[in-house]
Amino acid sequence: MQRLRRGRRGLRLSRGPQRRVLLIAPPNSYRTFAYLDAGRRHGIDVVVASEGEHALVAALAGGLHLDLQAPDALERLLALNARTPFQGVVATDDQTVELASRVAAALGLPHNPPAAALCSRRKDLARARLAAAGLPVPDWRLLRLDRPLGPQLEGLSYPLVVKPVSLSGSRGVIRADHPEALREAIERVRRLLAGERQLPAVEREQLLLESFVPGPELAVEGLLTDGRLEVLAVFDKPDPLEGPFFEETYYITPSRHPAEMLERVERRIAAACAAYGLREGPVHAELRLHAGDAWIMEVASRTIGGYCGRLLRFEAGHGLEALVLRHAVRDPLPLVPPTGAAGVLMIPIPGAGILRRVEGILAAQREPGVEEVVISVREGYALVPLPEGASYLGFIFARADEPAAAERALRRAHRHLRVVLAPNIPLSLATG
Ligand code: ADP
């Protein structure tokens, strides 16, 4: 075991036998590098299991290539453990939370029950559990796309939100204010799902319809230990999210909502975790404040999306991923909330097209308070906006004494950016 020792220059880690964490990541995960980096800094050997030859970053010599959907994935990971035993298992993204929970359960390590992990990525199952637990949830119903829609759409009231049962990052989430818009939204999501061949049929053939919950939105990062929730950070989303699509943009921490409301938020998330059966590891929750209560939009059993985890810095140089890794190997954690304010802007994708260049990055970077501007796609990449798109254009990170100042810095920085796109001409036209 490594121990924290208080030295003259603060907390230091003394080395003990090497600890090892199995990190299960889809090939396109934004978080793999952050976990590897955190492992290196904090003396934890991170072994990545992922798909495809190109899944693993160059920094990684070891690791296991495996088909995450294959029936023998669990068996192969257990065989890997027999050679190099793990003290913890972490999933980077929604797609891998169930497999991670099954591996950890088989190894007798702290884990979420697989049914709870499934619930944390299946919006229909989650709604049913929340409703059964008496938590505030919008009216909802499941649509079967392989059956006639007419009878299934009777007796609805508007506005509504249409969403796939298992995608993330707001993909396929569309607001509809009247029956015609609803039909269009359903067809659009049907086309999107038809291209998601990796999904099981049950996730491609069903859609969730929910009543639209108005109100400001919050995001919360937390950590569960034996079913007890510790809130690590609360983010406000200062731009109203009214639809028809729900692009993530500004996340600012700490929250400026009143303390009583934030206590309610925490209670609602803890109750949602209990309703799903979640007990261990990171949770990322999104809620709306409406009618004096906190309404769960989702609770995922992983950390915040994209590179946003970079924003959080805890005591003794711990980033979010370092906390998650150390928690997974049951190290005592320095759980002191981050100080000061910080914000991230997930840079909006201005339209569909091929990325030519992003102008104004230096000017954005020079804005006081701005820490970093990261463009996460390369020139030549086809940008696809919501509701179909799945990737981030980039991120701006800012730090300040007050949340309002962090938000202002991000807004000023964003005004400098100009995203230059070329039309994405279909090949048949270009060659014809
Ligand atoms: P994802 O997991 O893809 O992010 P969510 O179900 O969390 O999907 O929805 C994404 C966003 O869409 C939410 O953060 C919220 O802004 C909006 N949204 C989803 N459902 C509703 C709803 N019933 N009422 C209002 N807004 C919603």
Side-chain angles (χ1 to χ4, degrees):
M1 281 287 284
Q2 286 191 334
R3 292 234 163 67
L4 281 174
R5 232 198 277 132
R6 199 169 280 279
R8 248 190 302 159
R9 279 190 273 129
L11 292 171
R12 268 186 294 150
L13 291 172
S14 64
R15 297 264 152 162
Q18 184 69 18
R19 284 89 40 82
R20 197 177 294 113
V21 167
L22 173 65
L23 186 76
I24 310 185
N28 53 356
S29 178
Y30 284 87
R31 303 175 183 87
T32 308
F33 181 77
Y35 276 112
L36 286 170
D37 191 46
R40 234 182 338 251
R41 283 168 197 265
H42 294 275
I44 297 174
D45 187 13
V46 176
V47 175
V48 183
S50 192
E51 260 165 21
E53 288 298 312
H54 305 292
L56 306 180
V57 288
L60 182 78
L64 181 73
H65 301 286
L66 92 166
D67 175 356
L68 297 166
Q69 313 283 343
D72 69 346
L74 175 64
E75 210 177 300
R76 290 190 61 202
L77 291 170
L78 297 181
L80 182 64
N81 175 75
R83 293 197 299 277
T84 56
F86 301 111
Q87 286 80 48
V89 183
V90 170
T92 54
D93 293 74
D94 287 336
Q95 296 99 297
T96 54
V97 292
E98 280 165 272
L99 181 56
S101 71
R102 285 194 282 127
V103 176
L107 298 180
L109 297 171
H111 64 279
N112 287 318
L118 173 64
C119 212
S120 73
R121 65 164 203 85
R122 274 280 299 273
K123 300 170 196 202
D124 53 331
L125 305 177
R127 283 288 178 243
R129 295 272 183 102
L130 294 176
L135 287 158
V137 282
D139 291 336
W140 56 277
R141 81 169 62 157
L142 260 182
L143 287 190
R144 293 286 312 241
L145 289 172
D146 54 350
R147 301 211 180 125
L149 287 179
Q152 301 185 71
L153 300 182
E154 276 165 22
L156 291 169
S157 32
Y158 294 82
L160 281 171
V161 174
V162 181
K163 56 172 89 164
V165 296
S166 71
L167 297 184
S168 53
S170 302
R171 289 185 73 212
V173 182
I174 306 177
R175 171 176 163 160
D177 287 350
H178 49 79
E180 199 185 324
L182 177 62
R183 289 276 186 172
E184 274 170 28
I186 292 171
E187 291 315 315
R188 197 159 176 178
V189 183
R190 189 202 292 272
R191 286 195 297 277
L192 170 63
L193 287 175
E196 298 291 313
R197 303 246 157 98
Q198 78 291 356
L199 292 180
V202 64
E203 296 172 25
R204 267 185 287 125
E205 288 166 5
Q206 302 192 84
L207 274 190
L208 196 57
L209 284 191
E210 292 184 358
S211 52
F212 178 79
V213 180
E217 195 159 314
L218 296 166
V220 176
E221 221 44 32
L223 204 49
L224 287 167
T225 313
D226 285 334
R228 198 175 46 78
L229 175 71
E230 188 93 41
V231 168
L232 300 177
V234 183
F235 297 89
D236 288 341
K237 303 191 190 181
D239 278 355
L241 288 153
E242 303 286 358
F245 313 129
F246 298 89
E247 191 170 29
E248 296 164 306
T249 54
Y250 293 91
Y251 277 52
I252 312 290
T253 187
S255 172
R256 286 163 271 176
H257 289 287
E260 316 83 78
M261 185 48 93
L262 296 181
E263 278 158 27
R264 185 178 284 265
V265 164
E266 184 169 344
R267 283 201 303 277
R268 290 305 192 198
I269 299 171
C273 292
Y276 295 3
L278 294 174
R279 304 190 49 76
E280 280 299 331
V283 288
H284 172 79
E286 311 262 348
L287 305 96
R288 283 199 171 211
L289 305 184
H290 169 61
D293 212 328
W295 297 53
I296 301 279
M297 293 288 108
E298 66 165 345
V299 178
S301 53
R302 49 145 175 93
T303 56
I304 189 169
Y307 296 149
C308 299
R310 282 188 197 185
L311 200 62
L312 299 175
R313 277 196 212 132
F314 301 88
E315 203 171 82
H318 285 74
L320 181 60
E321 291 79 11
L323 286 191
V324 173
L325 290 178
R326 291 193 55 191
H327 179 265
V329 298
R330 286 293 194 254
D331 259 0
L333 285 180
L335 277 187
V336 176
T339 49
V344 56
L345 169 65
M346 293 174 233
I347 302 170
I349 293 183
I354 305 289
L355 180 66
R356 273 285 178 74
R357 62 189 176 277
V358 180
E359 295 173 353
I361 297 176
L362 276 179
Q365 238 150 13
R366 280 195 208 111
E367 279 295 343
V370 168
E371 199 167 67
E372 200 182 1
V373 179
V374 183
I375 303 300
S376 47
V377 297
R378 306 289 292 262
E379 294 81 0
Y381 183 92
L383 287 181
V384 182
L386 283 176
E388 285 83 12
S391 48
Y392 298 97
L393 169 56
F395 305 83
I396 308 178
F397 298 94
R399 255 169 236 287
D401 292 337
E402 296 296 329
E407 183 183 336
R408 277 196 302 275
L410 293 175
R411 291 191 190 279
R412 278 195 309 266
H414 185 226
R415 279 198 287 273
H416 290 292
L417 295 186
R418 206 168 84 81
V419 182
V420 182
L421 300 177
N424 191 358
I425 301 166
L427 206 55
S428 55
L429 279 182
T431 55

